[in-house]
């Protein structure tokens, strides 16, 4: 098969790494890719959200199967357009990707399907939104309805904070049209986990649970980021809890989407908070997580392509995945200034190894400079991943490997996989 992976981050580098090992993959392409994917696949210089150009290129280059990484092209209808052109695609249709593209829509689906989640109201005007937040004493979470690159969520502690968040999103439109509506949620508490499943429209194949570290600093302090590291499995989600999430969250969501005539196919990501009242959904994503995918794929043994194809073709009934019993940890190295304005163009030493066995470095915000050296080009620069006998061992191996990767201003957390919330230092 000729397989195209869409995207250019660490998640896509990990997908390309895994897919390129498949006996089914005659040729792998990545659009736009990065210097890491270029070593395993042929990069195609088309942006991940340039739907017209991607469809044209895939048709002209006789691509058999497309795996879509990021949400933007899904929301723009890339999967629909590829399907209409007769190309198999792993990724949600535009209608199904609304689960991620509109938080109000996701809440409405959850309400209809009886899925445990925070109580909420959806508003397009400041007055009623503020009244709702006041009634909750300001302890609410304010979310821009649309896609805001992971920055549209504000966890508030009092009415003044809630008012500031509502004004900036609804009135000042700091996220543009994505903030024409807001969801105001009950503020919950508890550890978080990422549960991701392959979905074929009807059935789900749940991947091992992961945990992401969204804050920039150790100890989960500082501003939110796209994710500073992740590990898999997470001890906060045991087999019974995972089965509970499958039964009470994933399957009812998939059923509800099918009932509406917009079946979900692709990767369904449930961000879960483990509250005193059981697991509750924080958000849905219509794609694999980044950086969760990097440690998760480190643990998938054998060929992942048949599973992705089965989901794309609508029949996961005969699909299983073998999972490595070891633990995987992925630590993100970010550029100076991240998650604010970052400096770019710093030379990176050691990104291409050599690395010890069971260590992988997945590139993201990198590009090849004119002299052939790899330089930084974005916020999250790369994810250093390792497998280990247990989580502590995997973390130790990942941090050992990080010691060999250097660039000016590199920021990374020192506590990824070293202690989960509630586990002490
Ligand atoms: P989201 O993008 O919706 O997952 O939100 C980003 C982060 O905000 C989550 O990972 C949580 O840490 C936090 N968050 C979102 N919704 C809630 C909520 N209802 N209660 C408490 N924290 C929340
Ligand atoms: N790591 C969080 C996300 O992919 O949305």
């Amino acid at each position: 098969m000729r397989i195209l992976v869409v995207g250019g981050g660490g998640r896509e580098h990990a997908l390309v790494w895994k897919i390129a090992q498949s006996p089914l993959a005659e040729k792998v392409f990545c659009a736009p890719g990065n210097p890491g994917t270029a070593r395993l696949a042929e990069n195609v210089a088309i942006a991940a959200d340039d739907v017209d150009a991607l469809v044209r290129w895939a048709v002209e280059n006789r691509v058999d199967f497309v795996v879509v990484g990021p949400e933007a092209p899904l929301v723009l209808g890339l999967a629909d357009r590829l399907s209409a052109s007769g190309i198999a695609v792993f990724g949600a249709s535009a209608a199904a990707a609304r689960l991620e593209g509109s938080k109000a829509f996701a809440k409405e689906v959850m309400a209809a399907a009886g899925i445990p989640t925070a109580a909420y109201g959806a508003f397009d005007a400041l007055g009623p939104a503020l009244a709702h937040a006041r009634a909750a004493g300001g302890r609410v979470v304010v979310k821009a309805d649309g896609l805001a690159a992971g920055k549209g969520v504000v966890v508030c502690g009092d009415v003044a904070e809630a008012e500031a968040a509502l004004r900036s999103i609804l009135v000042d439109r700091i996220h543009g049209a994505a903030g024409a509506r807001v969801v105001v949620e009950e503020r919950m508490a508890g550890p978080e986990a990422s549960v991701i499943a392959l979905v074929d429209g009807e059935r789900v194949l749940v991947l091992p649970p992961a945990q992401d570290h969204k804050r920039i600093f150790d100890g989960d302090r500082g501003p939110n980021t796209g994710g500073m590291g992740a590990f898999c499995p997470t001890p906060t989600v045991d087999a019974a809890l995972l089965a509970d999430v499958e039964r009470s969250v994933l399957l009812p969501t998939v059923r509800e989407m099918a009932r509406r005539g917009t079946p979900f196919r692709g990767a369904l990501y449930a961000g879960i908070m483990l509250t005193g009242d059981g697991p509750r959904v924080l958000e849905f994503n219509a794609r694999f997580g980044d950086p969760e995918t990097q440690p998760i794929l480190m643990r998938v043994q054998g060929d992942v392509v048949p599973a992705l194809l089965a989901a794309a073709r609508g029949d996961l009934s005969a699909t299983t995945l073998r999972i490595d019993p070891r633990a995987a940890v992925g630590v993100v190295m970010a550029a100076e200034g991240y998650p604010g304005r970052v400096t770019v163009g710093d030379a990176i030493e050691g990104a291409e190894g050599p690395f010890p066995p069971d260590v992988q470095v997945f590139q993201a915000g990198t590009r090849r400079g004119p002299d052939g050296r790899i330089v930084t080009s974005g916020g999250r620069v790369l994810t250093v991943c390792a497998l280990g006998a247990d989580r502590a061992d995997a973390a130790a191996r990942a941090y050992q490997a990080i010691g060999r990767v250097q660039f000016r201003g590199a920021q990374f957390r020192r506590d990824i996989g070293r202690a989960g919330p509630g586990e002490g230092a």
Side-chain angles (χ1 to χ4, degrees), residues 96-234:
R98 278 188 81 205
L99 275 180
E100 175 166 3
S102 166
K103 291 190 187 281
F105 174 75
K107 295 298 278 191
E108 183 212 311
V109 168
M110 285 189 262
I115 291 162
T117 186
Y120 80 108
F123 307 94
D124 54 17
L126 181 64
L130 199 50
H132 185 95
R134 277 212 185 91
R139 285 186 54 81
V140 292
V141 181
V142 174
K143 303 184 174 187
D145 180 55
L147 294 181
K151 291 175 187 136
V153 174
V154 187
V155 180
C156 307
D158 56 41
V159 173
E161 272 176 33
E163 177 164 2
L166 287 168
R167 280 188 189 283
S168 67
I169 295 173
L170 272 176
V171 182
D172 304 339
R173 292 290 171 94
I174 59 166
H175 304 299
R181 260 182 129 186
V182 291
V183 165
V184 181
E185 281 188 10
E186 159 202 8
R187 181 172 161 186
M188 308 184 290
E192 294 178 34
S194 308
V195 179
I196 303 172
L198 307 185
V199 182
D200 68 3
E202 190 183 332
R203 285 158 288 248
V204 304
L205 178 61
V206 185
L207 299 171
Q211 191 173 323
D212 175 17
H213 286 281
K214 289 208 171 82
R215 305 295 194 103
I216 184 85
F217 298 129
D218 287 13
D220 292 330
R221 289 173 301 109
N224 263 321
T225 71
M228 291 300 289
F231 54 86
C232 173
T234 171

Side-chain angles (χ1 to χ4, degrees), residues 230-233 295 298-299 324-331 356-360 384-402 414-418:
F231 54 86
C232 173
M298 294 281 291
R299 295 187 63 216
D324 193 315
R326 291 176 294 171
V329 170
V331 183
D358 296 326
V359 170
Q360 294 293 332
V384 178
C385 291
L387 284 165
D390 55 21
R391 187 152 50 95
D393 183 44
R397 290 166 50 81
Y399 281 102
Q400 227 164 40
I402 269 202
R414 319 255 160 189
D415 62 348
I416 304 299
R418 288 191 165 157

Side-chain angles (χ1 to χ4, degrees), residues 25-311:
E26 177 200 318
K27 175 98 190 164
V28 184
F29 303 94
C30 190
N34 62 46
T37 64
R39 289 164 64 98
L40 307 163
E42 186 179 321
N43 282 353
V44 178
I46 301 176
D49 58 1
D50 190 345
V51 170
D52 287 337
L54 287 168
V55 174
R56 205 177 318 123
W57 192 90
V59 170
E60 278 168 8
N61 289 275
R62 304 180 327 280
V63 168
D64 301 296
F65 186 36
V66 178
V67 178
V68 185
E71 63 278 15
L74 296 172
V75 169
L76 292 172
L78 177 59
D80 309 73
R81 295 273 307 276
L82 289 166
S83 299
S85 304
I87 297 173
V89 54
F90 180 88
S93 66
R98 278 188 81 205
L99 275 180
E100 175 166 3
S102 166
K103 291 190 187 281
F105 174 75
K107 295 298 278 191
E108 183 212 311
V109 168
M110 285 189 262
I115 291 162
T117 186
Y120 80 108
F123 307 94
D124 54 17
L126 181 64
L130 199 50
H132 185 95
R134 277 212 185 91
R139 285 186 54 81
V140 292
V141 181
V142 174
K143 303 184 174 187
D145 180 55
L147 294 181
K151 291 175 187 136
V153 174
V154 187
V155 180
C156 307
D158 56 41
V159 173
E161 272 176 33
E163 177 164 2
L166 287 168
R167 280 188 189 283
S168 67
I169 295 173
L170 272 176
V171 182
D172 304 339
R173 292 290 171 94
I174 59 166
H175 304 299
R181 260 182 129 186
V182 291
V183 165
V184 181
E185 281 188 10
E186 159 202 8
R187 181 172 161 186
M188 308 184 290
E192 294 178 34
S194 308
V195 179
I196 303 172
L198 307 185
V199 182
D200 68 3
E202 190 183 332
R203 285 158 288 248
V204 304
L205 178 61
V206 185
L207 299 171
Q211 191 173 323
D212 175 17
H213 286 281
K214 289 208 171 82
R215 305 295 194 103
I216 184 85
F217 298 129
D218 287 13
D220 292 330
R221 289 173 301 109
N224 263 321
T225 71
M228 291 300 289
F231 54 86
C232 173
T234 171
T236 50
V237 182
D238 61 15
L241 189 54
L242 193 61
D244 182 13
V245 171
E246 176 172 357
R247 194 177 50 242
S248 67
V249 172
L250 297 171
L251 283 171
T253 305
V254 170
R255 249 181 252 126
E256 176 65 17
M257 294 304 285
R259 192 189 67 75
R260 292 172 180 231
T262 52
F264 192 100
R265 285 193 188 142
L268 179 60
Y269 168 133
I272 301 285
M273 187 166 262
L274 306 166
T275 73
D277 302 324
R280 291 191 177 186
V281 176
L282 291 167
E283 65 162 342
F284 284 126
N285 293 321
R287 52 169 175 81
F288 289 118
D290 188 345
E292 291 94 328
T293 301
Q294 292 85 309
I296 291 173
L297 286 181
M298 294 281 291
R299 295 187 63 216
V300 173
Q301 294 176 319
D303 194 354
V304 76
V305 173
L308 300 177
L309 263 177

